[in-house]
Amino acid sequence: MKIREAVLGDHQAIAKVHVDSWRETYRGIVPQTYLNQLSYADRATLWEKIIASDNTVFVAENEAGDIIGFGNGGKERSGDYPNYQGEVYALYLLTDYQQHGIGKKIVKEIASHLKGLQLNGVLIWVLADNPSVGFYQAIGGKKVDEESVDIGGKQLIEAAYGFDQTIFKS
């Protein structure tokens, strides 16, 4: 398994992981009509723009060199959490590759990059009904907040998990 910075040519593979992981993870949580309308092309356009403007996108490749997961982050967006200057904006991994330590490696790469930017402490928002929410607790996240979000016309709870400086250690 290899974790590396994303390059422009990765945008289509990242889009596929993004859409497929949403459809796998959020089935029964997010309205099916919303999941059905997710588009590889739209996500590819989004990720092409993000990669072009940001070097904090990391991908996980399997032994065949296929992208099977990704994550990105940057400065905490709201400014409401002074103890968490960095934020992981996205972390997605295909179901078959979960529970093998890959997600933790991606988070650590992002956190390390953010520390290099002098962004200390990391915040990650996750849907409270996400079956992987225990992952964030297992890697040291402490729930610091929650809010209601509308996804596809359904009100869902999103929880913020904060990570202190220990996330930067190996």
Side-chain angles (χ1 to χ4, degrees), residues 71-139:
N72 78 312
K75 186 176 181 186
E76 192 278 318
R77 296 174 281 193
S78 73
D80 294 337
Y81 305 94
N83 293 330
Y84 308 103
Q85 299 167 347
E87 183 175 347
V88 173
Y89 305 142
L91 177 64
Y92 295 102
L93 195 59
L94 295 176
T95 304
D96 289 346
Y97 294 92
Q98 293 176 8
Q99 299 183 355
H100 298 287
I102 301 165
K104 183 176 181 179
K105 288 178 183 177
I106 295 171
V107 169
K108 285 193 173 282
E109 282 293 330
I110 296 168
S112 178
H113 184 82
L114 296 176
K115 184 178 182 187
L117 298 174
Q118 305 302 310
L119 299 173
N120 296 308
V122 177
L123 197 67
I124 299 175
W125 286 92
V126 58
L127 287 178
D129 291 335
N130 182 331
S132 298
V133 74
F135 161 77
Y136 298 100
Q137 297 162 341
I139 65 169

Side-chain angles (χ1 to χ4, degrees), residues 6-168:
V7 296
L8 276 178
D10 293 332
H11 65 284
Q12 290 183 354
I14 291 171
K16 182 165 179 15
V17 170
H18 196 172
V19 170
D20 291 350
S21 63
W22 262 73
R23 288 179 178 161
E24 293 170 352
T25 301
Y26 298 129
R27 184 179 304 121
I29 299 169
V30 170
Q32 193 61 44
T33 53
Y34 182 87
L35 296 175
N36 292 343
Q37 62 84 32
L38 293 174
S39 157
Y40 294 126
D42 289 348
R43 295 296 163 142
T45 299
L46 170 73
W47 285 105
E48 185 175 36
K49 289 177 186 172
I50 291 171
I51 293 167
S53 66
D54 183 4
N55 64 353
T56 53
V57 180
F58 292 89
V59 297
E61 293 179 331
N62 64 15
E63 292 75 20
D66 299 321
I67 292 175
I68 51 85
F70 72 93
N72 78 312
K75 186 176 181 186
E76 192 278 318
R77 296 174 281 193
S78 73
D80 294 337
Y81 305 94
N83 293 330
Y84 308 103
Q85 299 167 347
E87 183 175 347
V88 173
Y89 305 142
L91 177 64
Y92 295 102
L93 195 59
L94 295 176
T95 304
D96 289 346
Y97 294 92
Q98 293 176 8
Q99 299 183 355
H100 298 287
I102 301 165
K104 183 176 181 179
K105 288 178 183 177
I106 295 171
V107 169
K108 285 193 173 282
E109 282 293 330
I110 296 168
S112 178
H113 184 82
L114 296 176
K115 184 178 182 187
L117 298 174
Q118 305 302 310
L119 299 173
N120 296 308
V122 177
L123 197 67
I124 299 175
W125 286 92
V126 58
L127 287 178
D129 291 335
N130 182 331
S132 298
V133 74
F135 161 77
Y136 298 100
Q137 297 162 341
I139 65 169
K142 306 290 184 225
K143 188 174 176 183
V144 297
D145 203 359
E146 67 180 30
E147 64 182 30
S148 180
V149 295
D150 181 297
I151 300 178
K154 182 177 180 182
Q155 290 298 311
L156 298 166
I157 300 299
E158 196 171 42
Y161 285 87
F163 298 83
D164 62 19
Q165 300 307 101
T166 59
I167 195 150
F168 301 116

